[in-house]
């Protein structure tokens, strides 16, 4: 599974608050599955729900979402190309800690083929 690391790299390089405090960024996979077929090739596909958390985040949440959208265009464009999936591409939760601090959590349904 390569996509979580590439998303971490994108967010760290683009969002100054994450670059300054990389430990506020947490990524984990809450659920997943392997899709495969009974063929001679042993290829399969990872399908998983990646959760991204920013804890005690004091940066601009818009900058985070722009970085995620740029990343999705390159690594999971199908989430944005279909109007049905694009309308619900990034479910999120946000705890408003104070006027400058939030805990932001969002999920991405990702796939990665392995051949």
């Amino acid at each position: 599974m390569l996509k979580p690391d590439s998303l971490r790299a994108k967010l760290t390089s683009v969002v100054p608050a994450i670059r300054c405090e990389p430990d506020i960024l947490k990524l984990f996979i809450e659920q997943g599955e392997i899709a495969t077929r009974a063929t001679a090739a042993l290829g399969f596909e990872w399908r998983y729900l990646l959760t991204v958390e920013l804890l005690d985040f004091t940066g601009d949440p818009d900058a985070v979402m722009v970085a995620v959208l740029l990343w999705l265009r390159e690594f999971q464009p199908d989430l944005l190309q279909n109007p049905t999936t694009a309308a619900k591409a990034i479910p999120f939760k946000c705890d408003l800690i104070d006027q400058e601090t939030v805990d932001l959590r969002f999920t991405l349904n990702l796939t990665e083929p392995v051949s």
Side-chain angles (χ1 to χ4, degrees), residues 48-98:
Y48 56 93
L49 183 66
L50 178 68
T51 299
V52 180
E53 284 186 341
L54 291 164
L55 303 173
D56 295 325
F57 181 65
T58 58
D60 182 1
D62 291 346
V64 173
M65 288 302 120
V66 167
V68 170
L69 291 172
L70 289 170
W71 182 87
L72 285 171
R73 283 184 179 181
E74 183 176 352
F75 291 99
Q76 195 76 43
D78 59 297
L79 285 181
L80 305 176
Q81 293 168 343
N82 179 321
T84 303
T85 59
K88 298 179 181 185
I90 309 173
F92 74 93
K93 293 181 180 182
C94 185
D95 292 330
L96 306 171
I97 308 301
D98 59 36

Side-chain angles (χ1 to χ4, degrees), residues 6 22 37 39 65 72 89:
S6 68
R37 295 178 182 238
T39 64
M65 288 302 120
L72 285 171

Side-chain angles (χ1 to χ4, degrees), residues 4 8 14 21 29 43 58 66 87 109 111:
R8 180 186 300 279
V14 173
E21 292 186 69
I29 296 169
T58 58
V66 167
N109 277 305
T111 58

